[in-house]
Amino acid sequence: MELKQELIIVLDFGGQYNQLVARRVRESNVYCEIYSYKTPLEEIKKKNPKGIILTGGPDSCYLPDSATYSKELFELGVPVLGLCYGAQLMQHLLGGKVERASVREYGKIKLTVDKADSALFENVPKESIVWMSHTDYISKIGEGFEITSHSYDCPVASYENTAKNLYGIQFHPEVLHSEYGHVMLGNFIKNVCKCECNWKMDAFVENSIKAIKEKVGNGKVLCALSGGVDSSVAAVMLSKAVGENLTCVFVDHGLLRKNEGDEVEAVFGPNGNYKLNFIRVNAAERFYSKLAGVSEPEKKRKIIGEEFIRVFEEEAKKIGKVDFLVQGTIYPDVVESGLGGESVVIKSHHNVGGLPDYVDFKEIIEPLRDLFKDEVRKAGLELGIPKHLVFRQPFPGPGLGIRIIGEVTAEKVKIVQDADAIYREEIDKAGISQEINQYFAALTNMRSVGVMGDYRTYDYAIALRAVKTIDFMTAEAARLPWEVLEKVTNRIINEVDHVNRVLYDITSKPPGTIELE
Ligand code: XMP
């Protein structure tokens, strides 16, 4: 059965918050797809969207080679909302004027609404804080448009042409710093696009399963299952789509948390609740020997990532012909690997970027590539995966390999596993695990002098990390109760050999990242 759903299209002009725009639309319960600004108008028309949102972008719309779009977009009779660059471009194309501002506006700015009865400003107060980030500004609006708000430095903070259902917002309503931004986007969706807002995660799951079925046909599918939230959700989704044609390979790379290999096998293996054709590969020695002597983080990530692919490839050959490889890549992985547009590579996540040429799979399937973590969890619940698995904290593909600063050895893995197990146990006992989004112990490569009994020690320092975050793109350190930190510290030093010091990392992201490497 074809699912009928309302669609909002986000036209991507290369800004950094574009996925956030899509996410906000989905939070209003309307399905949303992102297309490049290079997508022809005909294709957009065929999708029959209820509304179109033009995103921000790095260009200056009045310069010759800047990203642009056909003016006909504004004649379709479909409501259009331009954000930042999108708002400037709409004016540039429709008779307004965009110029370089003498003052670059950046950060939290006070917005004053001039037209309180604008459809965009229902339930928005006359004054509120919004997030601005622009160098160009709209100095004059085209005929038929009306200014609906301003800020101190920005005469046109928003505008509208109600007859044509065209709207523009110079600031970024999609970021949380814009106090009423989500209300404004919701207003556009409900008041202007007239959406009924009945899209839910079950529709996403159902559509994804249908799309995977169509794509895969009778092909064989191999899934990289780590036991983490993302790959588990991807695996279960695939098993619903292709049944027996799915094989899940779980690589125990020796960089898992304490006892994790056995735990994953208990849930997803032959004695568990799922039919995944589960294969466990114990490859610790293989990974350790590849990692011997390597201390540079990117190099470690590359080695672990490549070894993973090699292991899969070998398993795939044993199965016979494999056409598709499934991975649980989610959106933050994509952005931070520099694939989300203009952004630079922060870390190369080993499960992102497609397969190198020399690998023998026809195609990669990443059903969660457009979702943020909390959305993946919702999808997991829709798929009937038990809560305790769905709400597990995330664990990165390269595992403890990136929680051990410097060279990875079997001995260091054991230290960090034991310390981490104690940390997790005490957080659980304190009943605060659900308040923290990710927490773990890492091994600093630092050794320092201590005293134990009457002896001098010269041992490692463990770093404890605990962060609060919604989407893992930004995060702040959790304020753990002192008694918990004290207890964990005492236990680690007493129970874990070769550790004589415990540090608590209070760095936020940015400037830090959540993992240490
Ligand atoms: P960072 O350290 O980049 O982490 O702030 C953001 C989130 O992503 C996880 N992470 C990874 N996940 N492969 C993954 O599957 C990776 O290579 C990887 N590196 C980091 C990290 O645990 C956090 O949740």
Side-chain angles (χ1 to χ4, degrees), residues 291 296-306 347-350 396 398 402 515 517:
L291 287 167
E296 207 272 310
E298 273 299 289
K299 216 165 163 196
K300 281 161 57 178
R301 282 174 172 273
K302 291 261 156 61
I303 289 172
I304 299 170
E306 179 155 344
K347 298 175 181 184
S348 56
H349 284 209
H350 84 245
I402 56 171
E515 301 291 346
E517 283 198 337

Side-chain angles (χ1 to χ4, degrees), residues 374-443:
D374 48 328
E375 294 180 317
V376 174
R377 292 202 161 109
K378 279 190 201 149
L381 292 177
E382 280 306 324
L383 286 161
I385 302 175
K387 259 191 172 166
H388 73 275
L389 291 182
V390 164
F391 288 97
R392 281 180 84 172
Q393 54 170 322
F395 186 65
L400 302 181
I402 56 171
R403 292 182 181 172
I404 293 170
I405 296 177
E407 189 189 1
V408 175
T409 62
E411 186 201 33
K412 288 184 186 172
V413 169
K414 168 105 177 60
I415 294 173
V416 78
Q417 276 178 338
D418 289 345
D420 184 69
I422 292 171
Y423 188 30
R424 284 188 291 136
E425 196 182 310
E426 290 301 328
I427 295 262
D428 269 349
K429 269 199 219 155
I432 52 175
S433 64
Q434 290 306 315
E435 293 161 31
I436 317 166
N437 303 99
Q438 195 170 9
Y439 53 96
F440 54 86
L443 185 65

